[in-house]
């Protein structure tokens, strides 16, 4: 599995939800993705006999790293970062070409000077957490709908600007917790020069492919290494995790520090039902069909197969995750538990006249909002939230058009995310050079245009404006072949233009975005007025109810912000079958069949005689994680890194909505296996020495 943030699936889930639920019971067993300023230290120490304290937490926080869509950690004093291979494979592919396929053969520079920058990659380390709840809640007082959303956005923008200003070395992010119950400013130290230090062969990292995805036992060497640089030199990072080359033992307490992307455990029944009935089925249909188109393209020639590897991997992962989530929502027993929990909380509110007078019935409010969301969802999804269908060229054109329109406004009237500092950051990113697989972009555009026409109908005025008299296929081909957006210099020129200049630029992709933008912006405004604004208002009230009934010692839903989960190394039993906690490197050779996806990576085949087959390869633990935790360090009680989380088992797919202590498991590659591979498979004494391993 890829535990990296499932961008398409989670963005659709987020826009569909735009709301709030409740956590009906205190965390049980090893449940919870806890913030670092509310970690249950005493409960964990009592449960596992550990001696965790605030200093221990601070060391872990200072070594945890957030990268694009994934998690990571510092593992040396010279800026070396451990993460998953599937978190860096996009970079590996960007550095590859038809003559040098580093995805297939691995990226293994002989010297540090040969490490190359990953286009668009950043690394962020959390340095400060500040509660800003009162300011954010006050900003929306007395407002409703779109005005409420805009006022909240302006206030969060102001808070971020006050602390970080236009400093390119900092990131400030106001994050909502408990779906509107609390807000905190997270301040990060940001590094924009992130270079690829090591990546094994794709076949080693993803051995077993989609059949083994979300399953265990696994035999995947899913790790990669980055390095942060500043002023052309590796960053000194004394606050790093110590590398432990020894495997854990069953029952050992372990901790996972990372950035889980999105969970929906606090949703109300009405919200879950709309997910089940509208959002998830549509998402599954589109993911499945697009995967088929991408797979068909990958069969055309070797170059097509090379550039399609990572996109297909992402689609397969997203489809499987969405399917597993939908099965949880279709389970009547699971839904009944949710109904019972909601009824218990609502009953407690109804029994408290003062609380009822203060918050009313936000659950009923949310039920009414779902009816409006059902009506607005499809056009909003197709023309705004998922416009472009994942096309890189369309996404860049949309950013340029929106930036131009917002820049023309007075600074205090712009939407959140378009301050002068934000626009400067966009300009830096937009002018970076990186390869674009235009064939894949054309497939994504064609698919989006055809599905938009299919769902909204040929007679829809917005569809007619979008397509004119062209077919989706012909329009997508013309856009991709005619746009200049693949050239970073041209992107910079377009980004500096006014809306009028963009309209006269002659770039067909810019023209398409301009044709769609008025309708898309109107749909966004309607969504904010009818769905996200009222939902946010109801969110405050449900959060108040939750805190009143359950107290404040609860963990919030995941928000791709730094969290810490605790657990122990452990297998599980399902329908009478016991699944052990460990796999061993010798099992890789036993599992290999010579046919994909069970083909040995070449380096593993060549060096079989050198490999210690008793080395623990992958292991499972009870830690509570979700997409976005990819690359998270698995840490022992001494604060040493002993693995990198890369997967969840098949039972954890329902973890978006709840945690099952008996079945949910995290799957990680051990540092023991990584050490063995660096020593006896890939011959990397330089990296071993940096990790402090002889």
């Amino acid at each position: 599995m890829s535990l990296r943030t499932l961008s398409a699936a989670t963005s659709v889930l987020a826009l569909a939800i735009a709301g709030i639920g409740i956590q009906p019971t205190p965390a049980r067993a090893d449940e919870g993705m806890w913030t670092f300023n509310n970690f249950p230290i005493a409960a964990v120490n009592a449960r596992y006999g550990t001696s965790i304290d605030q200093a221990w937490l601070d060391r872990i926080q200072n070594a945890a790293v957030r990268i694009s869509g994934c998690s990571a950690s510092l593992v040396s004093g010279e800026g070396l970062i451990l993460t998953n291979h599937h978190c860096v494979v996009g970079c590996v592919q960007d550095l590859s070409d038809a003559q040098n396929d580093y995805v297939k053969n691995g990226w293994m520079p002989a010297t540090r000077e040969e490490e190359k920058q990953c286009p668009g990659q950043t690394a962020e380390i959390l340095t400060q957490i500040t509660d800003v709840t009162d300011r954010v809640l006050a900003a929306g007082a007395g407002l409703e709908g779109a005005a409420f959303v805009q006022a909240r956005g302006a206030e969060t923008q102001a808070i971020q600007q006050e602390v970080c200003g236009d400093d390119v070395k900092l990131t400030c992010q106001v994050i909502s917790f408990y779906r509107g119950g609390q807000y905190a400013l997270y301040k990060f130290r940001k590094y924009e020069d992130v270079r690829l230090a090591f990546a094994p062969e794709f076949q080693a990292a993803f051995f077993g492919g989609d059949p083994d995805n979300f399953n265990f036992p696994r035999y995947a060497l899913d790790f990669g290494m980055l390095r942060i640089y500043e002023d052309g030199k590796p960053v000194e990072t004394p606050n790093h995790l110590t590398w432990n080359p020894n495997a854990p033992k069953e029952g050992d307490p372990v901790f996972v520090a990372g950035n889980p992307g999105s969970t929906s455990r606090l949703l109300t029944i009405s919200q879950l039902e709309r997910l089940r009935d509208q959002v998830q089925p549509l998402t599954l249909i589109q993911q499945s069909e697009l995967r088929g188109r991408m797979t068909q393209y990958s069969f055309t020639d070797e170059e097509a197969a090379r550039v399609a590897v990572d996109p297909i991997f992402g689609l397969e992962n997203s489809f499987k995750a969405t399917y597993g989530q939908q099965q949880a929502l279709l389970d009547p027993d699971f839904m009944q538990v949710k109904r019972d929990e909601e009824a218990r909380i609502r009953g407690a509110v109804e029994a408290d006249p003062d609380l009822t007078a203060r918050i009313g019935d936000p659950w009923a409010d949310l039920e009414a909002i779902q009816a409006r969301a059902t009506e607005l969802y499809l056009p909003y999804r197709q023309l705004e939230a998922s416009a472009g269908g994942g096309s890189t060229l369309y996404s860049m054109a949309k950013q340029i058009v929106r930036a131009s329109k917002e820049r023309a406004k007075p600074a205090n009237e712009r939407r959140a995310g378009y301050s002068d500092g934000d626009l400067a950051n966009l300009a830096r990113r937009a002018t970076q050079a990186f390869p674009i697989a235009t064939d894949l972009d054309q497939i994504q555009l064609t698919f989006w245009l055809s599905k938009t026409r299919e769902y909204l109908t040929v007679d829809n005025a917005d569809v007619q404006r979008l397509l004119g008299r062209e077919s989706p296929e012909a329009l997508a081909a013309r856009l991709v072949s005619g746009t200049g957006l693949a050239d970073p210099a041209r992107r910079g020129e377009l980004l500096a233009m006014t809306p009028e200049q963009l309209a006269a630029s002659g770039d067909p992709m810019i023209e398409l975005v301009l044709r769609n933008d008025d309708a898309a912006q109107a749909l966004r405004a309607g969504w904010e007025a009818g769905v996200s604004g009222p939902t946010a208002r109801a969110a405050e009230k449900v959060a108040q109810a939750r805190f009143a009934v359950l107290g404040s010692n609860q963990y919030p839903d995941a928000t791709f912000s730094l969290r810490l989960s605790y657990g122990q190394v452990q297998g599980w039993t399902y329908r009478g079958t016991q699944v052990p906690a460990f796999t061993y490197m010798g099992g890789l050779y036993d599992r290999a069949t010579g046919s994909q996806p069970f083909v040995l990576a070449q380096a593993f085949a060549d060096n079989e005689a050198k490999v210690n087959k008793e080395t623990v390869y992958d292991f499972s633990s009870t830690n509570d994680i979700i997409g976005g935790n990819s690359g998270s360090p698995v840490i022992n009680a001494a604060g040493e890194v002993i693995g990198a989380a890369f997967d969840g088992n098949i039972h954890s797919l329902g973890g978006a909505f709840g945690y099952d202590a008996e079945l949910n498991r995290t799957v990680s590659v051990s540092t023991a296996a990584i050490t063995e591979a660096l020593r006896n498979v890939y011959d990397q004494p330089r990296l071993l020495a940096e990790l402090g391993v002889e």
Side-chain angles (χ1 to χ4, degrees):
M1 162 191 175
S2 161
L3 276 170
R4 63 182 169 186
T5 301
L6 307 175
S7 57
T10 53
S11 64
V12 168
L13 191 65
L15 71 92
I17 294 165
I20 170 80
I22 50 173
Q23 175 65 30
T25 56
R28 300 176 298 275
D30 298 332
E31 178 180 349
M33 305 169 197
W34 297 85
T35 57
F36 271 68
N37 58 344
N38 190 35
F39 188 74
I41 294 175
V44 172
N45 286 339
R47 178 174 173 79
Y48 286 114
T50 52
S51 55
I52 304 305
D53 58 16
Q54 189 59 49
W56 187 95
L57 291 175
D58 292 342
R59 287 196 300 274
I60 303 305
Q61 177 180 315
N62 290 333
V65 181
R66 184 172 72 172
I67 60 177
S68 300
C70 282
S71 303
S73 59
L74 294 166
V75 291
S76 88
E78 299 169 276
L80 191 65
I81 290 174
L82 171 68
T83 188
N84 287 154
H85 181 276
H86 69 256
C87 295
V88 302
V89 68
C91 173
V92 181
Q93 190 148 310
D94 285 345
L95 298 178
S96 300
D97 54 33
Q99 289 72 45
N100 299 287
D101 188 349
Y102 299 117
V103 175
K104 178 182 178 181
N105 300 318
W107 175 265
M108 304 169 196
T111 65
R112 189 172 296 176
E113 288 69 29
E114 296 175 64
E115 296 172 353
K116 290 189 178 181
Q117 186 172 4
C118 292
Q121 182 62 272
T122 61
E124 297 172 319
I125 299 172
L126 178 63
T127 61
Q128 182 178 326
I129 303 173
T130 306
D131 183 84
V132 294
T133 303
D134 291 344
R135 281 190 63 176
V136 175
L137 295 183
L143 300 175
E144 300 293 339
F148 174 85
V149 174
Q150 291 164 11
R152 284 280 182 88
E155 186 64 19
T156 59
Q157 182 80 47
I159 294 169
Q160 292 165 176
Q161 185 68 20
E162 288 169 14
V163 177
C164 283
D166 296 330
D167 192 336
V168 298
K169 295 182 179 181
L170 301 176
T171 296
C172 278
Q173 182 181 6
V174 173
I175 301 174
S176 169
F177 295 100
Y178 307 99
R179 296 192 174 268
Q182 292 180 3
Y183 292 84
L185 173 70
Y186 275 44
K187 180 182 177 182
F188 300 85
R189 178 65 164 88
K190 181 171 68 174
Y191 300 92
E192 293 188 327
D193 186 354
V194 182
R195 306 187 191 183
L196 186 62
F198 183 87
E201 303 132 296
F202 181 84
Q203 188 57 28
F206 198 44
F207 179 85
D210 192 52
D212 273 358
N213 192 10
F214 294 108
N215 287 300
F216 194 80
R218 290 295 301 273
Y219 300 89
L221 191 71
D222 197 348
F223 90 100
M225 288 183 164
L226 302 167
R227 192 184 305 277
I228 49 176
Y229 282 72
E230 200 164 51
D231 300 324
K233 299 177 182 178
V235 176
E236 294 184 7
T237 49
N239 296 315
H240 64 85
L241 298 177
T242 299
W243 186 271
N244 185 333
N246 301 308
K249 296 180 175 60
E250 188 155 9
D252 281 357
V254 286
F255 303 82
V256 174
N259 302 277
S262 176
T263 55
S264 305
R265 298 179 183 180
L266 308 184
L267 296 186
T268 62
I269 290 299
S270 65
Q271 292 172 300
L272 291 173
E273 288 175 339
R274 191 173 70 81
L275 281 178
R276 180 195 65 197
D277 298 340
Q278 182 185 36
V279 178
Q280 302 287 73
L282 179 62
T283 302
L284 284 168
I285 289 169
Q286 292 211 13
Q287 288 173 339
S288 180
E289 185 174 340
L290 182 57
R291 178 180 62 172
R293 294 190 185 201
M294 291 280 201
T295 302
Q296 184 180 32
Y297 166 74
S298 73
F299 293 149
T300 56
D301 57 42
E302 289 186 5
E303 180 62 7
R306 183 185 73 81
V307 299
V309 165
D310 191 38
I312 291 174
F313 167 61
L315 276 170
E316 288 177 339
N317 188 71
S318 295
F319 176 83
K320 213 161 190 176
T322 307
Y323 179 79
Q325 292 167 6
Q326 181 69 348
Q327 296 314 298
L329 294 175
L330 290 171
D331 183 342
D333 293 336
F334 172 83
M335 290 297 284
Q336 189 57 51
V337 168
K338 287 288 186 180
R339 288 189 178 91
D340 292 344
E341 291 172 341
E342 183 170 302
R344 183 170 67 86
I345 298 299
R346 294 181 74 170
V349 171
E350 291 168 1
D352 185 336
D354 292 338
L355 184 57
T356 301
R358 188 165 75 249
I359 70 170
D361 189 351
W363 294 274
D365 295 339
L366 286 165
E367 289 169 8
I369 293 167
Q370 299 319 298
R372 180 62 172 156
T374 299
E375 177 186 348
L376 296 176
Y377 175 67
L378 197 54
Y380 176 53
R381 181 192 196 279
Q382 291 301 121
L383 294 174
E384 167 60 4
S386 297
S391 158
T392 300
L393 293 169
Y394 185 96
S395 175
M396 289 189 298
K398 182 177 177 180
Q399 290 179 50
I400 289 169
V401 168
R402 294 277 172 94
S404 179
K405 289 184 174 182
E406 293 296 325
R407 190 173 53 241
K409 301 176 183 177
N412 61 348
E413 295 180 12
R414 296 175 189 169
R415 293 183 63 89
Y418 290 98
S419 69
D420 289 340
D422 293 325
L423 293 173
N425 287 334
L426 174 59
R428 282 201 312 279
R429 296 194 306 270
T431 52
Q432 284 188 330
F434 58 90
I436 298 173
T438 54
D439 287 352
L440 293 179
D441 228 66
Q442 186 172 326
I443 290 171
Q444 291 167 316
L445 275 171
T446 301
F447 181 71
W448 166 62
L449 290 166
S450 65
K451 289 292 131 180
T452 301
R453 183 178 67 179
E454 176 184 334
Y455 292 144
L456 304 187
T457 78
V458 174
D459 296 319
N460 181 279
D462 295 329
V463 172
Q464 292 177 346
R465 187 182 307 106
L466 197 65
L467 289 172
R469 301 183 66 84
E470 293 181 273
S471 69
E473 294 77 13
L475 177 56
R478 180 172 67 82
L479 293 170
V480 171
S481 64
T483 185
L485 287 166
D487 178 5
R490 182 56 176 163
R491 292 197 294 268
E493 293 171 358
L494 291 167
L495 195 55
M497 292 183 183
T498 65
E500 294 75 20
Q501 291 170 328
L502 287 176
S505 68
D507 189 288
M509 194 71 75
I510 294 289
E511 291 173 354
L512 179 76
V513 172
L514 285 169
R515 288 204 304 272
N516 183 52
D517 200 53
D518 286 346
Q521 297 267 34
L523 287 165
R524 172 176 287 278
W527 186 265
E528 290 177 347
V531 181
S532 58
T535 298
R537 180 63 81 189
E540 294 180 16
K541 298 176 182 178
V542 176
Q544 290 171 23
R546 178 183 179 279
F547 292 140
V549 174
L550 301 173
S552 60
N553 190 28
Q554 304 289 319
Y555 68 92
D557 261 331
T559 54
F560 198 50
S561 55
L562 186 62
R563 306 295 180 88
L564 187 65
S565 70
Y566 61 89
Q568 61 181 316
V569 176
Q570 189 179 91
W572 71 97
T573 301
Y574 181 65
R575 293 181 177 175
T577 299
Q578 186 171 356
V579 181
F582 302 106
T583 61
Y584 299 87
M585 294 189 84
L588 169 70
Y589 295 93
D590 296 335
R591 200 174 186 83
T593 65
S595 298
Q596 289 291 2
F598 300 102
V599 176
L600 281 175
Q602 192 61 50
F604 273 85
D606 292 344
N607 294 289
E608 180 177 358
K610 300 179 183 177
V611 173
N612 178 0
K613 294 183 178 179
E614 301 302 314
T615 302
V616 168
Y617 205 158
D618 299 333
F619 63 92
S620 64
S621 63
T622 61
N623 297 85
D624 191 2
I625 65 170
I626 200 72
N629 271 118
S630 279
S632 296
V634 183
I635 302 162
N636 64 16
E640 302 165 329
V641 60
I642 58 168
F646 72 90
D647 207 344
N649 64 355
I650 197 73
H651 311 288
S652 70
L653 291 175
F657 309 115
Y659 174 81
D660 184 338
E662 297 300 318
L663 296 175
N664 283 31
R665 294 293 182 269
T666 292
V667 179
S668 306
V669 58
S670 73
T671 51
I674 296 172
T675 302
E676 181 69 15
L678 291 175
R679 178 184 290 125
N680 291 324
V681 178
Y682 296 113
D683 189 23
Q684 294 290 314
R686 179 177 64 87
L687 283 177
L688 289 170
E690 184 172 352
L691 294 170
V693 180
E694 296 181 359

